[in-house]
Amino acid sequence: GSSLLTGPEGLMAKERENLKRLKCLRRYRQRYGVEALLHRQLKERRMLATDGTAQQAHTTRSSQRCLAFVDDVRCSNQSLPMTRHCLTHICQDTNQALFKPCQGSEEAPCNKPVPVSLSEEPCCPLHLRLPPQMYVPEQVLAVPEELEAAPTDLYLSAAELQPTESLPLEFSD
C-alpha cells in the first residue's frame, strides 16, 4: 500500500509532508548496520539463557514432590516452595525454621505443623488457648429492704399534679 502513496501524481504538498513524517516515525528507533547485528546477537543470547533456566526451573519445580515416606510409601504431595517437604511433613526438615509441631494437650496430642508466630508456643486452631475474658458482665445491685417497703403516700396522684390555676397558652401543652 505504501507504493501507491509514493507516486507524485496523486499527492499534494501537505500529504507528501505527512508521508515523510510517517516514514521518519517508522524508522525512529530502528537499529541499522553493526548496531542492529549486535543487538540481535544480544537478544538471542538472552533468550537462550533465560529460556534454558526458566524451562529447567519449571520442570524441576512442577515435578518436585515431598521426600517424606509414610509406611514405606513416598508422599505424593507437592513440596512447598524452596523446600523438599509438603506442608504435612515440613517438620521433618531439620533446616527449616518457619514451622513447629503443635504441642496439643495431655488428652489429645497433636503434631500438626503450625507456622511460628509471635507466640512462644504456637498451636493449631483446635488447641488454641483463648485469652481470659475481658468483658465482665455488670452485676445487679441489691436493693435494700428499706427502699422496697417505701410508703406510697410519697407519690402524688395525677389529679394532684394538675395545675390549680390556668396558665397562659404559651406555657400549656
Side-chain angles (χ1 to χ4, degrees):
S2 62
S3 63
L4 295 174
L5 296 176
T6 56
E9 61 272 355
L11 297 177
M12 295 173 26
K14 188 174 182 181
E15 291 174 339
R16 272 182 275 177
E17 185 64 32
N18 287 342
L19 182 63
K20 189 176 178 183
R21 270 195 206 146
L22 185 63
K23 286 182 179 180
C24 289
L25 286 174
R26 197 168 169 206
R27 294 185 305 220
Y28 180 65
R29 293 202 182 249
Q30 293 289 328
R31 293 177 175 89
Y32 295 100
V34 177
E35 186 180 357
L37 179 66
L38 293 174
H39 181 70
R40 189 173 357 156
Q41 288 176 351
L42 178 65
K43 275 179 55 176
E44 288 173 0
R45 284 187 200 153
R46 283 184 181 166
M47 290 296 285
L48 288 173
T50 56
D51 283 349
T53 56
Q55 188 177 14
Q56 180 183 7
H58 176 69
T59 55
T60 56
R61 186 71 218 132
S62 63
S63 66
Q64 202 169 25
R65 299 287 174 206
C66 179
L67 294 180
F69 283 90
V70 179
D71 299 328
D72 295 332
V73 177
R74 186 173 175 183
C75 179
S76 61
N77 295 335
Q78 190 170 359
S79 64
L80 293 172
M82 308 298 287
T83 66
R84 294 183 179 179
H85 296 279
C86 64
L87 184 60
T88 313
H89 303 111
I90 191 67
C91 291
Q92 292 178 4
D93 188 3
T94 56
N95 296 327
Q96 65 88 20
L98 296 177
F99 293 92
K100 285 187 177 179
C102 174
Q103 299 302 320
S105 62
E106 292 85 27
E107 302 90 36
C110 177
N111 285 328
K112 279 187 176 180
V114 181
V116 175
S117 60
L118 299 176
S119 65
E120 295 175 5
E121 298 177 12
C123 294
C124 66
L126 183 65
H127 297 106
L128 184 66
R129 292 176 202 91
L130 296 176
Q133 188 177 10
M134 293 178 67
Y135 170 74
V136 178
E138 188 175 313
Q139 296 179 358
V140 178
L141 297 174
V143 179
E145 293 178 15
E146 303 145 0
L147 292 178
E148 286 181 4
T152 57
D153 58 344
L154 293 176
Y155 300 105
L156 297 175
S157 67
E160 292 171 336
L161 289 174
Q162 295 296 327
T164 56
E165 54 193 55
S166 62
L167 293 173
L169 282 175
E170 59 220 25
F171 293 114
S172 64
D173 289 343

